[in-house]
Each structure stands twice: as structure tokens, then as C-alpha cells.
């Protein structure tokens, strides 16, 4: 089913499809017409078909989509069945927000440890997850082979961390620090301030 | 300078330009060639020129860009000189992370109040910002006219909140709740789980 060279804009739509189909399932809605789905997603029905065709296509009956089937089809494309082991670096507000985010475990992301440099936090737990000493990060990775590291540190700490993580065999970095960096493994950044500036721009355009 | 109908993809690049130019200023780098800027931004030099042309264009000398001038030009497009008054609804981990985020004030976003339903939090402060009772939200808005509301509540609370905020004359919503909604005013959403699913997808593609 996997296919290389899927346009990034298509890949970026998949989580939204997945999230919305999950909401339908929660409401016990098992079937949706392609028109209703496209209205909700703000793309045309033919765009949705094209998007799914990038992954070999999805059996599209005349009456619409089987919600459960499409949900698990997209979940599989997104790799959500892989059971990722995740660590968080930085136990500040953002690290805590990630540690407490509901629904990650259900989607296969299990947070195993949180690392911090503050000695008073060591030995404590956040949402049942132990806080460990950042000094032991490289050793921990060599021993436990986590797949994903969320970086929730101040931006000055990020570049050195990225080097350590790359060398330790991590598969992907989820970056909350306020900096972009080049890296040999996949990095996804959540730049909160970019989002706020976009909102400011849109408010300015409305005036 | 403002211009309607700027492609969304252009508008979305502006915060990154702004952020990167700010980093250069912090390092006292006052001039950058269009090639160096384009390499860093991962778009072509002519794309940057085209992007800036959407806003009437930016005086582009032969030697490259004046960093300070371009930074404030883009800041103005983004409306960062407007001095927004902001409120946060929800004093959980995400609300706290927003309240403690460094650099918002410097960019003109001043957080005035945080609202929560938990009575034990009322009268406390987060990063010097008072926590108020959510029951008083509509009255507060009528009296103080905040411009931006950040929604950091559980998703079940969001739809009613949005209605209250729309009616109260708020100019824009910054949404951290795990749900999309339709709204007559600009909404920018930070969907953390979408970002994590995109990372999972990219890791899966690498394998």
C-alpha cells in the first residue's frame, strides 16, 4: 500500500481525515457520502478520491464511504499500528502538556520517559511517566531504543540534543523548541508562534 | 501595503521568514544575500521575491536584503504592531504553556487574563496573569474587548465557547482544543496530534 513521492500536501491532509473519521466513529456514524465528507474537509469529493488513489485507492461504493474501514485504511497509511516508544526531553509546561495529552496511547504512541536537567524533578512522575536525568539520555537510547523524541527544551539546548538523538538511532524528532534545524532523520515541528502570527495576519486582513 | 487574495501558502511562509530574520538580528547579522536566505528557507530566491511582491514588493538591492528593514516590513504585514490583547481559556497544561511562552509580549501579544472553571484556581496567577472564573467570560469581553482568545479547554467545551466568543466581538480564535469548528471570525488551530501523525507517516516512509 505504501507509495513513495506522495505530494506533501496530500500527506498533510491524512491526519485531518483520520481525526474526523474518528469523530464520526465516536458518534456511531458508520457511513458517510463522499459529498458530506468533502464538505466537512473543505476539499472536493474528487480530491479525496485522488488523495486515496496515491495509496492504491480505497474501494469507493456508490453510496459513499464505510467510515470504520476508511479510518483504519488511513490509520495504516499513517503508520499508527507501529506502536512507537516515545520520550520527551524537557519537563516544562510544553513537555507536561505532551505527557498529559489524551489519546496518544490509543493511537500507538507510548511515552516511556521524560528527561530534564533540573535535579529537583528527578525521581518524580508526570502522568505516571518517570522523569530521568538528561545526562543519561544517550545511554538510555542505546539501551531502550525509543523511536520518537519530543524536544520541549529551550531553543539553545536543541542543536546539541539533535546531534545526540541522531547518533542514538532515534527514528524521528517531534520539535517544540522555537528553532528549525537540519537533520538526517524526519523532524516535525510545532511552531506555536508561527500559528499566532498567521492568526494576526488574518485578523489584519479582515479589518 | 495590505493586499487581499494573497495565496494562503505565501501567507503561511511569512512567520518563518519573520522568525528567521529575527534570529539573524539576534546574532547581529544585518545583511543577507537572497541566495543565503532562500537556502535557509528552502524556497528559491525568485520565490521569495514573488512572495514579497504580493505586498507591493520590497526594495531589493543588488547585494541582498537589509535584515532589519525586511524583518520590520514582514512584521508590519503580519500585523505585529497592533498590540493585541489576548485571553486564554483553560488553565491546564496547554493554557499554562501558552501563558509562559516567551516572546509573545515582545511581538505585541499581551495576555490579560486566563479563564477556568476550577474554583481552586480562581484568584491565583500564572506567570503574573490572573486566573478568573469562566462564568464571567462574556461580561469580561463586553467590558475589556480582548482581540484574541486562545481556547485550551477539552474539546467538549469548545463549541459553546466559540459561540460566546463570536457574540462578544472577539477578532480571532487561537484553537488548541482537539476539534475543528466553523466560525465567522478567523480561527487558527494548533493540532498537536496531526503533527505527530505526520511524523509517524514520514517515519513509516523511511523504513
Amino acid at each position: 500500500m505504501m507509495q513513495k513521492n506522495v505530494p506533501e500536501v496530500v500527506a498533510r491532509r491524512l491526519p485531518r481525515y483520520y481525526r474526523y473519521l474518528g469523530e464520526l466513529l465516536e458518534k456511531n456514524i458508520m457511513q458517510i457520502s463522499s459529498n458530506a465528507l468533502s464538505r466537512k474537509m473543505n476539499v472536493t469529493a474528487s480530491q479525496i478520491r485522488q488523495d486515496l488513489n496515491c495509496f492504491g485507492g480505497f474501494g469507493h461504493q456508490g453510496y459513499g464511504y464505510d467510515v470504520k474501514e476508511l479510518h483504519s485504511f488511513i490509520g495504516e497509511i499513517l503508520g499508527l499500528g507501529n506502536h512507537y516508544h516515545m520520550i520527551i526531553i524537557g519537563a516544562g509546561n510544553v513537555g507536561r502538556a505532551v505527557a498529559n495529552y489524551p489519546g496518544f496511547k490509543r493511537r500507538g504512541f507510548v511515552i516511556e520517559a521524560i528527561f530534564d536537567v533540573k535535579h529537583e524533578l528527578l525521581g518524580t512522575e508526570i502522568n505516571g511517566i518517570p522523569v530521568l536525568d538528561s545526562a543519561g539520555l544517550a545511554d538510555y537510547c542505546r539501551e531502550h531504543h525509543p523511536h520518537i523524541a519530543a524536544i520541549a527544551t529551550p531553543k539553545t539546548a536543541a542543536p546539541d540534543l539533535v546531534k545526540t538523538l541522531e547518533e542514538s538511532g532515534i527514528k524521528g524528532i517531534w520539535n517544540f523548541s522555537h528553532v528549525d534545524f537540519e537533520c538526517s532523520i524526519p523532524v516535525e515541528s510545532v511552531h506555536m508562534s508561527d500559528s499566532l502570527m498567521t492568526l494576526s495576519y488574518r485578523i489584519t486582513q479582515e479589518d
Side-chain angles (χ1 to χ4, degrees), chain A residues 31-35 49 59-66:
Chain A
Q31 200 179 304
I32 186 167
S33 73
S34 52
N35 282 336
R49 265 195 304 281
H60 172 250
Q61 293 91 345
Y63 63 82
Y65 291 105
D66 180 317

Side-chain angles (χ1 to χ4, degrees), chain A residues 47-58:
Chain A
Q47 185 65 69
I48 294 178
R49 265 195 304 281
Q50 277 177 43
D51 287 356
L52 298 176
N53 276 339
C54 291
F55 304 95
F58 180 76

